[in-house]
Amino acid sequence: MKKYISITAAILISMVNFAQQVQVQVILPPFSSRVTDLFDRSGDVLIIATNTTNQAITFRLDAQLDFEGEVIARVRYQDSPNETLNGLETKSYRLKDLIDLKNALNYDRSFATTVLRSGYAPSGTVTWCFSLLDANNPLIVVAPQTCRSQLVTAFQPPIAILPEDNAILNINTLPIFRWTPVTPAFLGPLNYEVQIFEVLPGQDPMNAFRSNQPIVSRRTQALQMVWPLDIIREAGTYVWTVRAFDDLNNPIGGYETFSEFRSFSFNNDITNLSSDFSETTIDGAILMSFFPKGSKTPKYEMFVPGTNKEAAKRLFDESDQSRTYNLKITEVKNIPANITNLGTPILTGSGDIVKVVTEDGGVLTFNRNQQNNITIGRNSIIFIDWKDEGGIFNLDGKGTKRTTSQAQTKPDLL
Amino acid sequence: MKRTSLQINIMELASSMWLNRNENCKLGVLFDFNFKIYLRMNKTLIILCFFSFVGSSVFSQDTTKVKKTKDKVKITGSVQITHDFYSLSGNDIGHLNARRPSNLSRLILTPTFSWKKVTLPIEFVLSSQATNVVTPASRFNDPYSIFSQIRSFQDLVNYVSNPINRVSMSPIFGKFRINLGTHTPNYSELVQGNISMFGAGYEYLGNKFFTSFSWGITQPSVNQDTLNNMIGAYRREQYAFRVGFGSLRKNYVAFNVTGGKDNMSSVDSPLRGVRAEQGIAGSLQYNFIIAKHFSWESEMALSILTDDLNAFEIDFKELGINIPNVFPLNLSTRADIAGSTALGFKKNNVKIYAKALYVGAGYKSFGFPFFQSDRLELTLNPQFSFAKNKWFVNGSAGTRTNNLSGTKSAPMNQFIANINVNGRITDDLNVNASYGNFGLRNSVINDTFRVENIAQNINFTPSYTWTHEKSIDLFLMSYSHDRFEDFNVLTGNISNNQSNIFLVSWNRTLNNLPFSVGLSYSNFQFNSSFLQLSNQSVNVNWGYNFFKKRLRTNYSIGRLLNKPESNVSNDRQWIASLGIDYRSKTKYGFGLRWNTNNYIYGSARPNARFNENTLRFNLSKQF
C-alpha cells in the first residue's frame, strides 16, 4: 500500500513540477481598512501571468484574502472562469475582470462579525494569495501560490482642541488653533487644512459650517496655526474645523474626515459691552438693556454670548414684564442653536428677585443689590453686578457701570 | 489684479427702492416674467427688489392690518435685509483666495402672529447664493447664481431646503406646536441634535407627556459636475420621532429615534466617489432628580447604518448574524452602541457635574452628521464661589480615549484640564486668571510612531475701573503664555513652540457726552525652532452718538507690523472700520459697516500687496 501511495505522490509531484510553467506577479492597490474599500479595491488587484512554455495553458483561479494569517474571504476554484494563456504569452488580469467578486467572495463569519460593529478591519496585515490551477484538474498547479501583503490601518482624523467650543476671544489678539495629530503616526507627508466659517445672522454654527464659504482656509504641516496675519479679524461668531490630507491630497480618516467643528466669538472687549454697533457686529448674543427708572432710553447694554435662541426670543417677548426691574432684553442676535426646543419660559419672582425659568431648567435670576448669577440654557453663565440707585441707574451706586461676563461651556443639569 | 469691485450704486438703488416702497419694482410683476426675461434683468436689481418688496409688504401689514385687528391679532418681530459687498485686489497675491462672495444678499424676516392662545412664528432667512458643503468655492464668485438656476419646482425645493436658508412656520396652539419648513428637532446628545430639516413635524409638550415627530430633507440633491469640481450630493430624507413621559424640567423617560436615506434617484446620474447611506438610530434617555441636590441623566443608543447602498450584499443570516432587517443590509452595514451618563450636584454656590460618554466605532446617527466615534470621555466640572460671591472658581478635567476598537493601531489618550478664577478684589479692581493643560499620547514607544505632546497655557487679566465725575476709564491688561511640546523625534523639532501675548487697553466713556474712545496695544510672539513669528498692533477706536442715540457712529483704525517668519522684514498693515447705525422712533433701522485691510508684504513676498474691502449694510424694521 505504501508503495502505491509513494508512486502516486511521485506522479503528482512530477505533474506539479511539470505544470509550474506560469510565472505570476501580484500587484496590490493601496488598501484602506474600511471593509467596503478593502473589497472594492480588491477588484483592482493586478495579476500578471507569463506562460513560460510553448503550449497554451488553460487555468482557473484559486485565491484567498488573509487578515493576520486568518482567511477572511476566498475565491473558489469552482466559481472561477477558464482563462487561457498562449505559449510564451504574458497577460495582465484585474481581479474584477476575472470574476464577479460580489458573488465569488465567501466571507469568514468571525471576520464579518468583527467588522460589523465598526465597518473597519482591525489594524493589521492583509494578504492576497493567488494560485493558478489547471482548468480541468484542480490538483494540477499551473502556478504555485503567490502572495502579496499590505499593512492596513485606519487613522484617527484630527480633533479640534483650541479654541475650545464657545470660546470668547479678544479681537485684538491673535488666536492659536490647535488640534490633535493624525494617529497612528502617519509616515508620509501630511497637510492639515484649517477652515474657519463666519456664522451669519439667522444661522446656527451647523448651518454656517455646512453652507458658508470659509473665510479662512489654510494648510500647514504643524499641529497648530496662528490666525493668518494677513486676514483681519472682525467681531462675530465663527466655527472652525480641521482635516488632514495625505500627499495625494486624499483626506485622512474614515467616515469622518472633518473634526467636529468648534465655535468661537471675537468680541471687541468683553468688559466693555455697551458697543454701539453690537447689533450688526456681534453675533451669538442677546442684548440686555438696563433702563433708568421711568426712562425709555437704555442706559447700559450688555451682550450675553452663546445663549439660547428660542429662549432669548421669548424673553424678548416678555420684555415689558421685566421693565419693572430695570432690565429689558431688547435684541436677539444670531444665537448658536445649541438647544432650540426649550418651550415657553416662565417669569416668576417678586420684590428683589425675578427669575426666568426655561423648560430645560435654565434659570435667569436677578437679585437686587448683590451679584447676580444668570444661567440661560445649558451653555452660558453670566455675572452681572448692578444696583439700582433710584432715579439714575448705576451699577455700583457710584455712577459707574460694572459688567462682567463669562461664557461657560459646561452643560447645566440643574 | 482687480477681482471684484464695490457696487455702491446698487446699494444706493436699493436704498431708494426701500424708501419709495417698491415703486421701481413689484413682486407680482417679477413672477409674471418668464424666465428668459427674468434672466436678462440685472440680477442684483431683481433680488434687491424682491427683498425690498417682501420687507415693505410686512411693513404694510404692520401699519394697516394690525390697526384693523388691533384687539385680535398681534404681530411682533422684525425684518432685515442685508447686503455684503466684498472686493480683493492687489499684486502678486496668488496665494490668497477671495474670502467672501463678492455679493451676498440676505433676507431675514421673523414675524410672529399672536391671537389669544395661538401663536404663529414665521421665519424666512433667504440667501442670494446656493452654497453648501458640496459646492465649490469658484461658485461663490457668481452673484445670485441660485436665481438663475431655479427653473422648476424641484429647484425651488432644493433652494429653500439648502442649509444656508431657513423657511419655517410654526403655529403654536397651547402645548402643541406644528413645524412646517426648516426646523431643528433637538432631542438628545446622541440621536437627534444639530441638523436642521426642511419638512414638517409636530411637538407636543405636556406636563406629564411629550412627543414630537419630524420628517424632512437635510441635504438637497446636487448633481455632480466634475468640470466645476462639484462632487455632488444625494438628497437625504430624514425623520425623527420622540415620545416621553414626565416633565422635561424634572424627571422624564424618553425614547428617541431618527433615521434616513439618501435618495439615489435624486440626481441625474450616479455620483462617483459619493456613497449613498441609509441608517437608523434610537435611544432610551432619562433624567431623574435622585435626591435633593442631585440629578442624573443618561442615554443609551444603538445605530444601524448601511454606509454604502451599492456595497457587496451579504446574507447575514447565513453567517449566523441576526440584525433587524430594517433596510438593505450589505458589507458596509454596521451596528454599534453609544451611551452617556451624567451626575449633577448643586447646592448654594457649589456645582459639580460629572459625565461619561462612550461612542462605539461604528456608531453614527444622521442627527449628528459630524459626530466623531470610537471614543470614551470622562469629564468633571466643578464650580463654586466664595467671599460673598466676589470670587468665582470653575474648572474642568477630562480624559478622552480614542480608538477603542483597535482599528487605528494603538489607542490614543487625551487629558484636558483647566481652571479659571475670577475675583473682584475691590469694587474697582477685577482679576481673572486661568490655566489650561492639554496632553495627548498613544501607547507606541517607538519614537517615530510615538504621538505625545503637551500644551500648557496660562493667562492673567487684571482690569481696573476708574470712575470720576465726567467719565469712566477702564484699564485692562492681559498676559498669556502658551507652550507646546512634541515628544516625537521626527516632528518634535518643528512642532515645539511657545508664544507670548501681551495686551493693554484703555477705554474712556464720557458721562456728559455720548462719546467714547479706546486705545489698545498688543504684542504677539511665537517662537519655534524654525519659525519666529511676531505681530504688533495699535488700535484706536472712538464712537459718537447723535440724536439721542438714534444715530450711532463708531470708527477704528489700526496699524500692524507682522513678521511672518524669521530673517524677513515686517509686513505692514493698516486696518480701518466705520460703522453707522440708525434707529428711528418708528423702529426702522439702517446700518452700515465698512472694513478695509491694506496689506503690504515685506521681504517674504516682495512686491506683493493687496487691499481688501467689506461693506455691509442692512435695512431693518421691528414691528
Side-chain angles (χ1 to χ4, degrees):
Chain A
M1 184 65 183
K2 286 182 180 177
K3 181 181 177 182
Y4 290 113
I5 291 174
S6 300
I7 293 171
T8 305
I11 293 171
L12 283 174
I13 290 169
S14 65
M15 287 175 64
V16 168
N17 288 334
F18 178 77
Q20 289 175 6
Q21 302 301 323
V22 176
Q23 292 182 345
V24 173
Q25 285 182 292
V26 176
I27 300 174
L28 302 181
F31 287 129
S32 80
S33 63
R34 186 189 181 111
V35 173
T36 50
D37 285 346
L38 190 62
F39 289 103
D40 278 344
R41 294 181 189 177
S42 287
D44 291 325
V45 171
L46 194 64
I47 304 153
I48 303 171
T50 302
N51 185 350
T52 58
T53 70
N54 293 321
Q55 297 177 342
I57 295 175
T58 303
F59 65 89
R60 287 189 185 188
L61 200 65
D62 183 83
Q64 66 183 42
L65 177 62
D66 294 355
F67 178 78
E68 293 286 289
E70 299 290 330
V71 178
I72 58 172
R74 177 180 288 276
V75 178
R76 292 178 298 204
Y77 170 85
Q78 58 267 34
D79 296 328
S80 180
N82 290 351
E83 290 291 330
T84 301
L85 267 179
N86 294 321
L88 301 176
E89 185 183 20
T90 297
K91 270 189 179 178
S92 298
Y93 305 94
R94 291 202 179 275
L95 191 56
K96 63 185 175 188
D97 298 329
L98 286 174
I99 54 171
D100 180 3
L101 279 171
K102 287 187 178 181
N103 295 321
L105 281 174
N106 292 279
Y107 308 98
D108 176 77
R109 177 185 167 180
S110 61
F111 180 75
T113 308
T114 301
V115 301
L116 178 61
R117 284 191 62 185
S118 66
Y120 285 95
S123 181
T125 302
V126 294
T127 305
W128 263 113
C129 292
F130 294 91
S131 300
L132 304 187
L133 306 179
D134 186 275
N136 300 315
N137 185 353
L139 294 177
I140 300 175
V141 178
V142 173
Q145 192 177 61
T146 302
C147 298
R148 285 289 180 275
S149 298
Q150 193 175 105
L151 176 68
V152 298
T153 185
F155 289 94
Q156 171 74 48
I159 300 167
I161 301 296
L162 289 175
E164 61 189 13
D165 205 19
N166 297 319
I168 301 172
L169 309 176
N170 192 307
I171 198 169
N172 292 317
T173 60
L174 286 168
I176 297 175
F177 297 85
R178 188 164 283 153
W179 52 90
T180 63
V182 167
T183 54
F186 194 84
L187 292 182
L190 268 183
N191 276 298
Y192 293 96
E193 182 182 69
V194 177
Q195 292 191 320
I196 303 171
F197 304 81
E198 182 180 21
V199 181
L200 298 171
Q203 285 188 321
D204 57 41
M206 169 62 90
N207 284 343
F209 175 59
R210 298 181 69 209
S211 308
N212 296 353
Q213 178 181 0
I215 62 161
V216 174
S217 181
R218 294 282 173 99
R219 291 193 178 192
T220 176
Q221 292 188 338
L223 296 176
Q224 61 262 314
M225 185 192 81
V226 180
W227 180 281
L229 297 172
D230 49 6
I231 293 181
I232 60 172
R233 301 176 296 283
E234 298 177 51
T237 301
Y238 300 84
V239 294
W240 78 281
T241 185
V242 60
R243 58 177 172 167
F245 290 87
D246 63 16
D247 53 342
L248 299 175
N249 208 32
N250 297 314
I252 302 290
Y255 306 113
E256 311 94 4
T257 57
F258 286 104
S259 70
E260 289 180 13
F261 61 80
R262 302 279 187 260
S263 64
F264 65 94
S265 302
F266 279 129
N267 278 355
N268 284 314
D269 188 340
I270 199 166
T271 58
N272 181 21
L273 294 161
S274 57
S275 167
D276 290 338
F277 287 93
S278 50
E279 285 148 297
T280 55
T281 59
I282 296 181
D283 295 329
I286 60 172
L287 174 63
M288 297 194 297
S289 297
F290 297 83
F291 291 79
K293 277 187 175 176
S295 171
K296 293 183 178 178
T297 304
K299 181 71 174 174
Y300 301 109
E301 294 173 339
M302 176 173 177
F303 277 91
V304 183
T307 48
N308 178 270
K309 183 177 183 179
E310 294 295 321
K313 271 186 177 177
R314 289 165 184 168
L315 290 168
F316 172 60
D317 294 338
E318 301 288 346
S319 59
D320 286 345
Q321 296 184 48
S322 64
R323 186 173 294 178
T324 307
Y325 303 93
N326 287 330
L327 170 64
K328 182 181 181 183
I329 296 174
T330 56
E331 186 71 37
V332 179
K333 299 308 295 180
N334 181 34
I335 310 301
N338 296 318
I339 303 163
T340 56
N341 299 321
L342 290 180
T344 306
I346 301 165
L347 205 61
T348 62
S350 60
D352 288 339
I353 299 175
V354 60
K355 286 185 178 181
V356 179
V357 182
T358 57
E359 287 288 344
D360 74 334
V363 179
L364 272 173
T365 305
F366 301 96
N367 296 296
R368 294 176 117 188
N369 302 319
Q370 58 180 281
Q371 179 170 298
N372 291 266
N373 292 341
I374 303 170
T375 304
I376 301 176
R378 293 178 177 171
N379 285 328
S380 295
I381 295 178
I382 306 102
F383 305 96
I384 302 175
D385 291 337
W386 59 278
K387 292 179 181 178
D388 188 351
E389 295 293 321
I392 299 174
F393 184 73
N394 296 322
L395 294 179
D396 65 355
K398 297 179 181 177
T400 64
K401 62 178 179 180
R402 184 181 314 285
T403 57
T404 58
S405 160
Q406 181 170 348
Q408 179 82 1
T409 57
K410 179 189 73 59
D412 188 25
L413 267 180
L414 296 170
Chain B
M1 181 172 62
K2 188 167 186 177
R3 298 191 174 182
T4 60
S5 62
L6 293 179
Q7 301 173 31
I8 303 298
N9 58 324
I10 296 175
M11 186 193 73
E12 292 170 349
L13 178 61
S15 303
S16 65
M17 287 190 305
W18 179 266
L19 296 174
N20 292 329
R21 289 290 179 90
N22 287 44
E23 290 185 359
N24 296 326
C25 55
K26 298 291 184 185
L27 183 63
V29 174
L30 176 67
F31 280 116
D32 284 339
F33 285 163
N34 63 41
F35 274 101
K36 290 181 180 176
I37 299 173
Y38 172 84
L39 293 174
R40 287 193 195 109
M41 290 184 65
N42 182 312
K43 294 169 185 172
T44 305
L45 176 63
I46 291 173
I47 186 58
L48 291 175
C49 284
F50 171 71
F51 285 171
S52 177
F53 183 87
V54 173
S56 59
S57 300
V58 173
F59 293 177
S60 301
Q61 287 177 354
D62 184 36
T63 54
T64 57
K65 190 175 179 180
V66 172
K67 283 180 182 175
K68 290 177 184 175
T69 59
K70 188 176 179 181
D71 299 326
K72 295 181 179 177
V73 179
K74 181 184 176 185
I75 304 176
T76 58
S78 65
V79 59
Q80 186 177 30
I81 297 167
T82 68
H83 191 89
D84 298 352
F85 299 98
Y86 173 78
S87 73
L88 172 69
S89 59
N91 297 323
D92 196 13
I93 53 171
H95 64 290
L96 289 178
N97 292 319
R99 297 190 298 116
R100 302 176 186 280
S102 55
N103 288 276
L104 179 64
S105 298
R106 303 182 79 233
L107 166 70
I108 304 170
L109 173 63
T110 56
T112 297
F113 298 84
S114 303
W115 180 69
K116 295 184 178 178
K117 292 186 177 181
V118 179
T119 307
L120 177 60
I122 295 175
E123 185 176 22
F124 282 90
V125 180
L126 299 175
S127 172
S128 61
Q129 290 198 298
T131 57
N132 55 47
V133 289
V134 292
T135 306
S138 60
R139 302 261 315 270
F140 295 119
N141 293 322
D142 182 9
Y144 314 118
S145 58
I146 184 60
F147 293 101
S148 63
Q149 293 171 22
I150 299 177
R151 298 186 177 90
S152 65
F153 178 74
Q154 187 57 48
D155 292 338
L156 185 63
V157 171
N158 278 357
Y159 170 65
V160 296
S161 61
N162 189 303
I164 201 171
N165 299 314
R166 291 182 68 88
V167 176
S168 72
M169 185 167 65
S170 306
I172 301 169
F173 310 94
K175 297 175 180 177
F176 192 76
R177 176 185 183 126
I178 296 173
N179 293 312
L180 301 171
T182 310
H183 60 291
T184 308
N186 191 337
Y187 296 167
S188 70
E189 182 184 19
L190 297 173
V191 168
Q192 179 63 42
N194 55 9
I195 186 86
S196 58
M197 295 183 187
F198 180 78
Y202 70 83
E203 294 173 50
Y204 173 77
L205 192 61
N207 292 330
K208 295 182 179 179
F209 172 75
F210 55 91
T211 181
S212 66
F213 174 78
S214 290
W215 178 91
I217 297 168
T218 54
Q219 168 65 52
S221 62
V222 179
N223 282 314
Q224 197 162 54
D225 184 352
T226 51
L227 290 176
N228 289 309
N229 195 28
M230 290 174 62
I231 60 171
Y234 297 109
R235 183 172 68 239
R236 175 164 293 177
E237 294 151 3
Q238 198 167 324
Y239 57 86
F241 173 70
R242 179 183 220 199
V243 61
F245 302 92
S247 168
L248 284 171
R249 289 185 221 166
K250 297 178 181 175
N251 303 323
Y252 68 86
V253 176
F255 174 70
N256 312 303
V257 63
T258 190
K261 180 182 180 182
D262 290 341
N263 188 335
M264 288 191 286
S265 62
S266 63
V267 291
D268 295 339
S269 57
L271 306 177
R272 295 186 63 189
V274 179
R275 294 181 176 89
E277 298 181 343
Q278 184 170 356
I280 186 170
S283 75
L284 179 67
Q285 179 191 15
Y286 59 82
N287 184 84
F288 294 128
I289 297 175
I290 53 178
K292 187 177 180 182
H293 302 292
F294 290 89
S295 70
W296 178 37
E297 67 177 0
S298 291
E299 184 176 12
M300 293 156 284
L302 166 70
S303 77
I304 303 173
L305 176 82
T306 293
D307 183 44
D308 181 0
L309 292 173
N310 289 317
F312 294 179
E313 291 181 4
I314 288 183
D315 188 342
F316 283 90
K317 288 181 180 174
E318 191 179 274
L319 292 168
I321 302 167
N322 292 312
I323 59 175
N325 191 17
V326 289
F327 46 75
L329 304 173
N330 60 36
L331 186 62
S332 72
T333 302
R334 52 196 165 109
D336 213 335
I337 59 171
S340 72
T341 186
L343 189 66
F345 170 80
K346 179 184 178 184
K347 185 178 182 182
N348 299 329
N349 297 327
V350 178
K351 281 186 179 180
I352 299 173
Y353 180 79
K355 182 181 176 184
L357 170 70
Y358 168 78
V359 186
Y363 181 83
K364 181 173 181 179
S365 169
F366 285 171
F368 292 96
F370 301 101
F371 200 59
Q372 286 190 331
S373 58
D374 204 7
R375 58 178 161 140
L376 172 66
E377 288 184 12
L378 303 171
T379 53
L380 180 69
N381 296 88
Q383 69 175 62
F384 60 92
S385 60
F386 57 96
K388 295 182 179 178
N389 289 332
K390 288 183 177 179
W391 287 86
F392 177 80
V393 180
N394 70 318
S396 69
T399 65
R400 172 170 167 164
T401 304
N402 298 300
N403 188 27
L404 300 163
S405 65
T407 58
K408 307 172 188 82
S409 187
M412 184 177 73
N413 295 299
Q414 292 172 227
F415 174 75
I416 300 177
N418 62 64
I419 183 169
N420 184 285
V421 180
N422 192 82
R424 191 177 63 186
I425 297 173
T426 70
D427 281 350
D428 298 318
L429 180 62
N430 192 82
V431 293
N432 184 281
S434 65
Y435 171 75
N437 184 304
F438 169 76
L440 168 75
R441 75 175 176 189
N442 66 5
S443 57
V444 177
I445 300 173
N446 183 319
D447 278 342
T448 55
F449 288 95
R450 181 181 181 184
V451 174
E452 183 172 1
N453 53 55
I454 295 175
Q456 297 180 84
N457 176 277
I458 188 167
N459 175 271
F460 181 66
T461 306
S463 63
Y464 182 76
T465 306
W466 184 30
T467 306
H468 40 104
E469 189 174 339
K470 293 184 179 178
S471 65
I472 303 168
D473 291 87
L474 174 68
F475 300 92
L476 181 140
M477 192 275 284
S478 178
Y479 173 74
S480 293
H481 176 76
D482 184 280
R483 177 185 291 269
F484 179 82
E485 295 173 280
D486 186 346
F487 297 98
N488 182 290
V489 293
L490 292 180
T491 61
N493 287 338
I494 60 169
S495 296
N496 290 339
N497 67 73
Q498 56 182 338
S499 62
N500 294 287
I501 302 172
F502 177 73
L503 169 73
V504 59
S505 70
W506 162 73
N507 286 80
R508 166 169 287 192
T509 303
L510 302 184
N511 288 334
N512 299 327
L513 282 175
F515 177 78
S516 63
V517 62
L519 176 66
S520 69
Y521 168 79
S522 71
N523 188 309
F524 175 86
Q525 302 287 336
F526 179 92
N527 294 301
S528 70
S529 60
F530 72 103
L531 178 65
Q532 282 80 48
L533 183 150
S534 69
N535 160 262
Q536 293 183 75
S537 71
V538 177
N539 285 276
V540 182
N541 64 80
W542 65 100
Y544 195 88
N545 300 331
F546 301 90
F547 310 131
K548 296 181 179 178
K549 280 191 169 184
R550 295 203 176 281
L551 177 62
R552 303 173 174 188
T553 64
N554 79 349
Y555 322 83
S556 74
I557 188 166
R559 176 62 166 169
L560 296 90
L561 296 176
N562 303 321
K563 181 173 281 193
E565 53 191 276
S566 39
N567 302 320
V568 297
S569 60
N570 282 330
D571 297 351
R572 291 161 291 160
Q573 183 180 22
W574 283 102
I575 57 173
S577 71
L578 163 67
I580 299 172
D581 190 38
Y582 176 73
R583 295 296 163 106
S584 74
K585 289 182 180 178
T586 51
K587 297 185 178 181
Y588 284 90
F590 170 79
L592 183 147
R593 174 158 283 271
W594 169 65
N595 284 300
T596 186
N597 175 20
N598 184 276
Y599 204 94
I600 301 173
Y601 291 90
S603 57
R605 295 180 184 275
N607 303 320
R609 61 170 59 197
F610 70 86
N611 193 54
E612 186 179 39
N613 288 280
T614 306
L615 178 64
R616 296 175 151 175
F617 81 92
N618 70 79
L619 302 168
S620 64
K621 163 69 176 169
Q622 287 189 342
F623 44 86

